[in-house]
Amino acid sequence: MAPRFGMVAGEASGDLLAGLLLGGLRQRWPDLQAFGIGGPAMARHGFEAWWPHDKLAVRGYVEVLSHYRELLGIRNQLGERLLKERPDVFIGVDAPDFNLELETRLKATGVKTVHFVSPSIWAWRGKRIEKIRKAADEVLCIFPFEPPIYAKQGIPATYVGHPLADTIPLEVPRAAARAALGLAEGDTVVALLPGSRRSEIQYIAPRLFDAAAQMQALRPGLRYLLPVVPGLRHLVEPLRKLHAEQVAVELLDGRSHELLAACDVTLVASGTATLEAALFKRPMVICYAMHALSWQMMKRMKYQPWVGLPNILLRDFAVPELIQGDATPERLAHAALAWLDDAPRCAALHSRFEALHRELRCDTARTATDAIEKLLAR
């Protein structure tokens, strides 16, 4: 019989990863059932969403606390429903603060559990590995250095590569993307990617709009485009009018991959989007900002100097990172313009990102499905 999967993916990036995984699972088991929390990418593969994925799109201690009751209520209700449904496997996709507790509860009752995307125990909060031990029967790792960390602790883990490395072509379809977006041949395009969470829109989007205004004053004629996650345009539009009324920032409905393929440089919030930008071989300036108290708490738990995924994977400040107080509009603008003025530096970065892209290609959907099939057979 076709297996039944419970799944939870939070926010746009988790939905994208879960959708790619679900596509691989359905190739193996065309009649599978999948249900839980997810978004449009999962829905395209027949996923039944009991709650929408953006309910979990919260980051930062202070921000999470303000939504704690709602999130706790959702997790409790979801747990009860999953215990009644008894899926063959539960797959928690990223969102560790939500998923690990849920996985622990399900695993204790005999439901097999998978955590897809290892929490960043190598970057901060390393003690979470004990929580992962109680929560997951299998960890699917997207970076090659992660399984040895789990092996030392006796936790089953499989390197499956990063699904985005399979999805995004090695040769960037730049001309096609620019044509699809209606860009002229001579347009120099700046992509603004403030993130997909409401808190990111609140803290980061104003800085990016202000940076665009600074760049416009220093170099008129650049084009600015910002992809908006479905359902968040009503938050972004007022900020554009407040911070960049004199700058023609075009808001796109999604289409972030087309924009990354087409742009000349991107100002991008730290997160999955930075890896996407690297896979599209784009020069970037990574930025992040959050509530001051959340930042102070997170800063104390960092294990390494980098924040952005491209820099973490390359073990180098290959691209600038401007975080919290350093993420001023002036610094963001000057760092972005510096890329536009340095073609050799851009070419060297392109070569490093191409090598990284090849390393992360591992046919993730098939490899992850193989690991889940082995777990089903245990």
Side-chain angles (χ1 to χ4, degrees):
M1 294 180 62
R4 301 165 68 249
F5 295 101
M7 297 180 74
V8 169
E11 69 194 69
S13 60
D15 175 50
L16 177 62
L17 295 175
L20 294 168
L21 173 60
L22 195 50
L25 293 171
R26 195 166 288 283
Q27 281 191 341
R28 186 73 50 91
W29 298 291
D31 298 324
L32 68 78
Q33 297 178 51
F35 40 77
I37 296 179
M42 299 167 74
R44 286 193 285 271
H45 296 282
F47 182 80
E48 180 186 347
W50 296 341
W51 282 271
H53 71 302
D54 57 7
K55 285 289 187 182
L56 309 188
V58 184
R59 173 177 282 187
Y61 291 101
V62 174
E63 294 82 359
V64 169
L65 283 173
S66 66
H67 292 82
Y68 180 74
R69 276 193 176 179
E70 181 184 16
L71 292 170
L72 184 62
I74 291 172
R75 189 167 65 195
N76 288 340
Q77 292 175 62
L78 176 63
E80 290 297 321
R81 192 165 177 182
L82 287 169
L83 287 172
K84 289 179 182 177
E85 293 287 343
R86 302 294 296 181
D88 296 291
V89 177
F90 174 79
I91 306 171
V93 182
D94 209 359
D97 289 321
F98 186 94
N99 277 325
L100 292 178
E101 293 289 345
L102 182 59
E103 290 162 20
T104 299
R105 180 181 179 187
L106 294 172
K107 184 181 177 183
T109 69
V111 175
K112 293 178 178 178
T113 57
V114 171
H115 195 82
F116 179 37
V117 184
S118 167
S120 304
I121 53 174
W122 33 266
W124 69 303
R125 292 177 69 183
K127 292 181 180 178
R128 273 199 297 193
I129 199 163
E130 291 304 321
K131 185 175 285 189
I132 296 167
R133 185 194 308 279
K134 296 176 183 177
D137 291 301
E138 181 78 33
V139 182
L140 303 181
C141 301
I142 60 176
F143 300 129
F145 59 81
E146 293 174 326
I149 298 173
Y150 287 102
K152 289 179 181 178
Q153 299 295 324
I155 299 172
T158 303
Y159 172 57
V160 299
H162 202 295
L164 289 171
D166 295 320
T167 304
I168 296 170
L170 282 169
E171 293 293 329
V172 178
R174 183 170 171 77
R178 289 177 71 87
L181 292 172
L183 300 171
E185 185 176 342
D187 286 340
T188 300
V189 178
V190 181
L192 307 176
L193 278 73
S196 59
R197 302 178 179 92
R198 285 173 171 79
S199 60
E200 290 172 333
I201 299 299
Q202 176 187 354
Y203 286 102
I204 300 171
R207 298 172 190 248
L208 299 194
F209 283 130
D210 285 338
Q214 292 275 338
M215 294 176 72
Q216 178 73 7
L218 293 168
R219 190 167 306 181
L222 301 177
R223 288 196 62 174
Y224 303 89
L225 286 81
L226 187 153
V228 182
V229 173
L232 294 184
R233 182 177 279 262
H234 70 287
L235 298 178
V236 177
E237 189 72 64
L239 294 173
R240 174 176 67 169
K241 291 180 179 178
L242 180 63
H243 293 270
E245 189 173 11
Q246 305 305 315
V247 184
V249 179
E250 181 181 348
L251 302 185
L252 305 175
D253 291 322
R255 307 181 75 177
S256 61
H257 279 195
E258 280 183 304
L259 179 55
L260 284 171
C263 74
D264 295 281
V265 68
T266 178
L267 295 170
V268 55
S270 180
T272 301
T274 64
L275 183 61
E276 291 174 306
L279 295 173
F280 278 105
K281 310 359 178 247
R282 293 297 86 205
M284 74 187 83
V285 180
I286 296 173
C287 64
Y288 210 81
M290 60 178 65
H291 191 284
L293 180 57
S294 293
W295 169 243
Q296 289 301 321
M297 295 176 73
M298 292 185 72
K299 185 171 66 171
R300 287 199 295 269
M301 290 186 282
K302 278 180 59 180
Y303 298 158
Q304 52 192 3
W306 311 284
V307 171
L309 283 171
N311 289 341
I312 289 170
L313 290 166
L314 293 173
R315 313 295 294 175
D316 181 26
F317 282 106
V319 298
E321 294 183 357
L322 296 172
I323 310 300
Q324 204 66 7
D326 291 331
T328 65
E330 294 80 9
R331 289 186 178 185
L332 290 166
H334 283 288
L337 290 173
W339 281 117
L340 297 179
D341 294 333
D342 197 338
R345 182 180 172 215
C346 291
L349 184 70
H350 187 286
S351 296
R352 298 187 74 181
F353 282 166
E354 183 174 352
L356 178 62
H357 194 160
R358 293 181 185 279
E359 182 182 12
L360 295 178
R361 277 203 155 192
C362 198
D363 195 353
T364 299
R366 179 188 59 79
T367 308
T369 298
D370 288 346
I372 291 168
E373 187 171 32
K374 289 178 182 177
L375 176 61
L376 280 166
R378 286 184 200 168

